[in-house]
């Protein structure tokens, strides 16, 4: 009976610890994991938000250096009628593109082009990757025309090959400040000219602007934009004067903030509906973007991209108190009390400063036997990993409503997975 219980325990454990502490896979053959697509590329752990060339000066509407912003995605949105529209997007992971919810409205498929500078059909871009996606997630609180909650994530059918030409932008911290007055860079292939029927830009363009107040529901942005009331917690705005505007076709593209301490960019905003008028560049209206920091937990719940915790700085406070020396004199005795010194030290516990990456810590197969391993960061996850000769390959349960069941070492419905009982994935 004891032997039977031990055997049962070994079957249900997702990984087995050896005598020296090493972890073994729950299965050795990834092909035996039911319902898994085998066409995925290995996940590459790269630093997010690193631009390929920094410009010392940005003129409104200037063409960027090719692949300067390797997280920029071009989206061609395809409809049943055969018509199409264009939007921008942001690579936030090898499999996920961040964009606006309204960019997906009515779509039957979305063509995603990464590593592109020239988006024409005859482009000579050597590093572009093209995907056709039919899977995306729209924020459940968004309705067409809404300013708030205009956010969606597009899932690529296979993971993009990450390199210096295609890499993710960093996500902001969930508790980022309002960034009032900070310089930000807007990107897109949208209409940049006031000339009628001039069309979209062939090449990716950028403009530098500054964050303005959208505090509460009556900030500067709400007063000047003329689109009604909205919450500044969910919306970030920037100055649109002097041609510093995003326009039609730039929808869904990123507002990028450069962190000089890390030397990286984070995507702090997603472009709302672009102005179709010929007067877009001269309108001086604010640029309205979805504030990404408000939605990082929603992104995590749908992609397993874990929010990065804000680094905590060590603070040590030392207080020294010295009692003054006093002299007491009587007719026969002089007494000098001993000075008293009190030292109080307070130390703040620190959290190690993380290195910004597309995954807070990429799954490491070094020293691990070949085989299948669960996602170590989440007990209710669609993703799992396969180690082969110390290379890590990421897999995703492809069927809707399924996650990786560590006990069975295969994809299963959330109702059968203990880790999902407290948190059901949308």
């Amino acid at each position: 009976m004891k032997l039977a219980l031990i055997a049962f325990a070994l079957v249900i454990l997702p990984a087995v610890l050896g005598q020296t502490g090493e972890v073994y896979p729950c299965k050795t053959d990834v092909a035996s994991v039911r319902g898994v697509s085998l066409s995925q590329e290995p996940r590459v752990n790269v630093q997010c938000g690193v631009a390929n060339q920094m410009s010392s000066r940005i003129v409104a509407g200037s063409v960027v250096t090719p692949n300067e912003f390797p997280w920029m995605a071009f989206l061609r949105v395809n409809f049943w009628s055969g018509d199409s529209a264009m939007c921008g997007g942001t690579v936030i992971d090898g499999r996920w593109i961040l964009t606006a919810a309204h960019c997906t409205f009515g779509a039957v498929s979305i063509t995603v082009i990464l590593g592109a500078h020239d988006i024409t059909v005859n482009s000579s871009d050597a590093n572009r990757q093209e995907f056709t996606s039919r899977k995306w997630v729209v924020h459940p609180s968004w309705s067409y025309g809404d300013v708030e909650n205009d956010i969606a994530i597009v899932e690529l059918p296979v993971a993009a090959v990450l390199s210096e030409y295609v890499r993710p932008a960093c996500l902001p911290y969930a508790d980022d400040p309002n960034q009032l007055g900070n310089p930000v860079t807007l990107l897109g292939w949208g209409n940049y000219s006031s000339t009628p029927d001039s069309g979209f830009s062939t090449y990716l363009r950028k403009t530098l602007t500054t964050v303005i107040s959208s505090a509460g529901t009556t900030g500067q942005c709400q007063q000047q934009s003329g689109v009604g009331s909205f919450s500044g917690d969910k919306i970030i705005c920037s100055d649109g004067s002097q041609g510093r505007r995003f326009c039609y076709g730039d929808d869904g593209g990123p507002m990028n903030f450069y962190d000089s301490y890390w030397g990286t960019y984070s995507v702090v905003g997603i472009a709302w509906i672009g102005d179709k008028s010929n007067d877009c560049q001269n309108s001086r209206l604010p640029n309205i973007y979805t504030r990404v920091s408000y939605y990082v937990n929603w992104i995590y719940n749908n992609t397993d991209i874990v929010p990065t915790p804000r680094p905590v700085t060590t603070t040590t406070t030392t207080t020294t108190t010295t009692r003054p020396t006093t002299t007491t004199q009587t007719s026969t005795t002089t007494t000098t009390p001993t000075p008293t010194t009190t030292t109080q030290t307070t130390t703040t516990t620190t959290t190690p400063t993380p290195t910004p990456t597309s995954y807070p810590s990429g799954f490491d197969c070094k020293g691990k036997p070949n085989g299948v391993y669960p996602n170590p960061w989440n007990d209710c996850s669609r993703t799992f990993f396969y180690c082969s000769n110390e290379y890590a390959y990421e897999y995703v349960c492809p069927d809707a409503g399924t996650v990786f069941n560590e006990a069975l070492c295969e994809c299963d419905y959330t109702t059968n997975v203990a880790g999902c009982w407290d948190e059901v994935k949308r």
Side-chain angles (χ1 to χ4, degrees), residues 22-362:
E22 63 267 29
V23 178
Y24 293 99
C26 57
K27 287 185 178 179
T28 56
D29 183 9
V30 71
S32 65
V33 181
R34 179 172 56 85
V36 175
S37 170
L38 301 182
S39 60
Q40 300 182 52
E41 298 293 332
R43 180 185 211 100
V44 181
N45 191 29
V46 299
Q47 188 178 35
C48 62
V50 177
N52 286 323
Q53 178 173 330
M54 293 294 295
S55 299
S56 58
R57 179 172 179 266
I58 299 177
V59 181
S62 62
V63 175
V64 307
T65 302
N67 300 116
E68 181 178 350
F69 299 95
W71 50 89
M72 187 65 194
F74 175 80
L75 276 56
R76 184 180 295 111
V77 184
N78 307 303
F79 305 103
W80 281 114
S81 63
D83 294 333
S84 64
M86 63 175 284
C87 277
T90 306
V91 178
I92 56 172
D93 180 80
R95 292 188 62 90
W96 296 98
I97 309 299
L98 189 65
T99 190
H102 77 265
C103 287
T104 68
F105 187 74
V108 294
S109 67
I110 298 176
T111 302
V112 179
I113 300 177
L114 308 179
H117 177 62
D118 176 357
I119 47 98
T120 58
V121 175
N122 298 320
S123 169
S124 60
D125 289 343
N127 302 298
R128 61 193 289 166
Q129 302 176 45
E130 187 167 328
F131 308 84
T132 299
S133 174
R134 291 177 174 83
K135 295 179 66 176
W136 48 86
V137 182
V138 174
H139 195 280
S141 298
W142 175 81
S143 297
Y144 190 82
D146 288 354
V147 179
E148 297 178 353
N149 306 311
D150 191 6
I151 181 172
I153 43 178
V154 179
E155 184 176 4
L156 302 181
V158 296
V161 178
L162 301 182
S163 66
E164 63 179 303
Y165 306 105
V166 177
R167 71 166 67 230
C170 299
L171 289 174
Y173 300 115
D175 60 346
D176 259 0
N178 59 22
Q179 295 177 315
L180 181 64
N182 285 341
V184 287
T185 304
L186 314 182
L187 298 173
W189 284 276
N191 188 358
Y192 65 96
S193 173
S194 58
T195 304
D197 302 320
S198 57
F200 300 129
S201 174
T202 299
Y203 305 104
L204 181 63
R205 305 179 77 88
K206 64 185 176 183
T207 186
L208 183 67
T209 179
T210 305
V211 176
I212 63 173
S213 173
S214 58
T217 57
T218 58
Q220 177 185 354
C221 183
Q222 289 92 329
Q223 294 178 31
Q224 295 179 355
S225 61
V227 298
S229 178
F230 52 82
S231 170
D233 292 339
K234 299 181 178 181
I235 300 296
I236 184 171
C237 299
S238 70
D239 175 44
S241 66
Q242 301 180 18
R244 301 187 182 98
R245 289 274 288 150
F246 83 96
C247 295
Y248 182 58
D250 293 324
D251 311 39
M255 174 187 287
N256 305 274
F257 170 69
Y258 180 70
D259 187 327
S260 58
Y261 178 81
W262 289 109
T264 58
Y265 282 93
S266 58
V267 51
V268 296
I270 305 168
W272 191 54
I273 300 173
D275 186 350
K276 293 184 178 181
S277 72
N278 294 327
D279 198 40
C280 175
Q281 290 291 336
N282 301 319
S283 70
R284 304 178 64 86
L285 293 173
N287 299 300
I288 300 175
Y289 280 65
T290 297
R291 189 183 293 273
V292 177
S293 61
Y294 186 86
Y295 299 93
V296 292
N297 289 322
W298 177 82
I299 293 172
Y300 162 63
N301 286 337
N302 289 278
T303 65
D304 290 329
I305 301 175
V306 183
T308 303
R310 181 179 294 279
V312 178
T313 305
T314 302
T315 302
T316 302
T317 304
T318 302
T319 304
T320 302
T321 305
T322 303
R323 182 180 298 170
T325 301
T326 60
T327 301
T328 304
Q329 185 173 358
T330 64
S331 59
T332 58
T333 306
T334 300
T335 303
T336 304
T338 304
T340 302
T341 300
T342 303
T343 301
Q344 180 182 2
T345 302
T346 303
T347 302
T348 303
T349 304
T350 64
T351 299
T353 300
T355 300
T357 56
S358 61
Y359 224 102
S361 55

